[in-house]
Amino acid sequence: MSVTVRVPAKVNVQLAVGAARADGFHDLANVFLAVGLYDEVTVTPADELRITCAGPDAAQVPLDRTNLAARAALALAARRGIEPAVHLHIAKDIPVAGGMAGGSADGAGALLACDALWNTGASRAELLDICAELGSDVPFSLVGGAALGVGRGERLTGLDVGGTFHWVFAMAGRGLSTPAVFREFDRLAEGRAIPEPVASADLLDALAKGDADALAAAVSNDLQPAALSLFPELAGTLAAGRAAGALATLVSGSGPTTAFLTRDADSAAKVAEALHASGTCRTVRTAAGPVAGATVL
Ligand code: C5P
């Protein structure tokens, strides 16, 4: 008997970052949109906890207990007094260390899969609590759709979205560490007053209307200067997408994946082709959102 859960990637259409807090985290106003690029986590009973991973980036995925999928299984097992004797297999399609919450997706996926396998009867609220302990982006991977995350980004309010948005994602030749990007944000912010992060009313309105032009005018990412500072070549990828006709270009989360909003699926295909031909990135994918969060298949 095994259980497979499919979990989407995310793009942050707004990432407003406040000053560093005493605990080292930053208060955020983080508007997440789940997009149709997926990891699948399959859990099967085994003699002991074991992780395997397959996919183009599999070599970069840790297969020990630092993996968020393993940590999710261990956290749920500890709460329920269950032996975490399972094999977790991750079929990975979300870029690793890319700013698209691939690790968080695996954490949310493993949690939901183990919950179903062990039939724990955990409430949605308890699963969300465990997600928040695992990482700031993990609760969103569970719920999907679109949401505003405040606090570390883990306190979510679902958002209405009045249409489908079409995206192109350009994956870079190497990853970026999220803590390193936040440290660079702090370094660049030194000596400046950082305003409280707030969600943009125009952006929430654009999402509600499903209006791609209005969304393009409103997207923002306060981590983008820090990501570009650590990875200057990303400027070339953003410029190539802009030249190809993307409505908006931005770094996804802490990067280095770059995201390009387009008007429809046809324009996404054209921008993807131009980005591919530009030679400024490793691979290019198209995906639309919002899509559902972690789902048992
Ligand atoms: O929550 P998570 O473990 O995914 O965060 C990874 C790192 O990103 C944190 O250790 C911290 O350095 C940084 N971070 C932050 N503020 C947030 C979320 C993450 O500084 N709100």
Side-chain angles (χ1 to χ4, degrees), residues 168 240-241 243-246 262 264-277 284 286:
V168 182
T262 63
D264 51 32
D266 280 352
S267 6
K270 287 195 187 97
V271 170
E273 203 178 300
L275 275 166
H276 182 70
V284 183
T286 58

Side-chain angles (χ1 to χ4, degrees), residues 24-28 104 134-137 151-153 178-180 182-183:
F25 284 89
H26 297 71
D27 278 322
L28 306 177
S104 300
L134 294 170
S136 308
D137 287 352
R152 288 186 284 125
T178 300
F182 274 102
R183 277 197 302 274

Side-chain angles (χ1 to χ4, degrees), residues 184-271:
E184 183 66 0
F185 172 89
D186 292 339
R187 194 186 68 80
L188 294 174
E190 243 168 46
R192 275 198 294 125
I194 312 278
E196 286 291 308
V198 284
S200 147
D202 287 349
L203 181 117
L204 299 183
D205 191 51
L207 284 176
K209 290 188 172 131
D211 181 336
D213 288 294
L215 183 63
V219 293
S220 67
N221 179 359
D222 288 352
L223 290 181
Q224 183 157 320
L228 285 170
S229 167
L230 297 177
F231 202 145
E233 305 91 306
L234 295 180
T237 319
L238 292 172
R242 201 171 303 117
L247 299 178
T249 69
L250 78 165
V251 169
S252 179
S254 58
T257 301
T258 41
F260 304 87
L261 179 62
T262 63
R263 183 156 288 116
D264 51 32
D266 280 352
S267 6
K270 287 195 187 97
V271 170

